[in-house]
Amino acid sequence: MPANVLILGIGNVLWADEGFGVRCVEQLASRYAFDNNVRLLDGGTQGLYLLPFLEEADSLIVFDAVDYGLEPGTLKIVENDEVPQFMGAKKMSLHQTGFQDVIATAQLMGYCPEQLLLIGCQPEELEDYGGGLRDQIAARIDPAIEIALERLRGWGIEARKGSGDQSLLADASIMRDAYEEGRPDAASACRTGDDRFFPTAK
């Protein structure tokens, strides 16, 4: 059994299906509790700020939206040395560090987790700023969680029904339910940026 396991959700919840990984970790934490050797983390788009968490982990499970070029909603499992080449569906800016870079840096520094498991979901829509998960992608959260739980059982780690530690998750105001209920619909708010600065035809 790994001494310490990090379960990480990465992505940007403001860009539709890009938030898949974060929503998986939220759901997992709301339904299951673990012993202190298992940590659940909303990694968002923190990039290299995640390195201290990787340093403490022997095994890493990552949920993410990944563009495999498959049908939307397809789950694909990638492990160990194959993980870095498949991470991340989209970079939100040129200054954002991709998780591939985080893994590579951890490897160079000699403290990358020994076991890596990526549970990736093919997104349907990424170009919807302020949008939520598409139904087809949201429906893959529970199957993705089951894959993680099965792997944890293989490592000798059992999840207990009930709410777990949510101290490393996002603020309650952007958890999925609050976010979905509080955001304006697409007809009321521009979803591709700030429309005050869009070029106009002459």
Side-chain angles (χ1 to χ4, degrees):
M1 182 176 71
N4 294 292
V5 177
L6 177 63
I7 304 176
L8 177 65
I10 57 177
N12 190 327
V13 298
L14 299 179
W15 286 97
D17 294 335
E18 171 72 15
F20 173 79
V22 172
R23 299 313 188 196
C24 284
V25 169
E26 286 178 9
Q27 185 95 297
L28 184 60
S30 72
R31 293 183 177 178
Y32 296 97
F34 298 91
D35 290 337
N36 291 334
N37 66 321
V38 178
R39 224 172 182 184
L40 276 66
L41 173 64
D42 170 359
T45 57
Q46 295 181 57
L48 294 176
Y49 289 104
L50 296 172
L51 283 172
F53 295 98
L54 268 66
E55 183 176 8
E56 297 173 358
D58 302 298
S59 297
L60 173 64
I61 296 175
V62 181
F63 296 103
D64 192 12
V66 183
D67 187 1
Y68 300 108
L70 302 174
E71 287 296 313
T74 301
L75 293 177
K76 183 175 174 66
I77 310 306
V78 182
E79 300 188 54
N80 299 322
D81 292 342
E82 295 183 355
V83 167
Q85 61 183 306
F86 283 105
M87 298 298 299
K90 178 180 183 181
K91 278 194 176 186
M92 308 318 299
S93 80
L94 294 175
H95 306 290
Q96 179 181 315
T97 302
F99 200 71
Q100 298 100 322
D101 302 322
V102 177
I103 293 289
T105 302
Q107 290 172 335
L108 286 172
M109 298 179 74
Y111 55 65
C112 190
E114 294 179 7
Q115 301 178 91
L116 302 177
L117 174 67
L118 167 63
I119 304 170
C121 181
Q122 176 71 41
E124 177 182 338
E125 178 60 66
L126 298 174
E127 301 298 332
D128 184 10
Y129 182 71
L133 296 182
R134 297 304 186 258
D135 291 344
Q136 186 175 6
I137 307 307
R140 307 306 287 160
I141 291 176
D142 285 347
I145 287 174
E146 284 303 316
I147 292 169
L149 292 174
E150 182 178 355
R151 177 54 55 92
L152 289 168
R153 286 191 290 268
W155 291 341
I157 297 172
E158 289 293 335
R160 301 183 299 276
K161 289 291 181 74
S163 181
D165 180 13
Q166 300 187 29
S167 62
L168 294 176
L169 302 187
D171 185 84
S173 64
I174 58 171
M175 292 290 193
R176 187 177 177 211
D177 287 347
Y179 177 76
E180 295 288 350
E181 291 170 5
R183 67 186 175 89
D185 61 30
S188 304
C190 179
R191 292 287 178 74
T192 55
D194 189 331
D195 56 7
R196 294 173 299 172
F197 301 101
F198 287 168
T200 56
K202 292 183 179 180

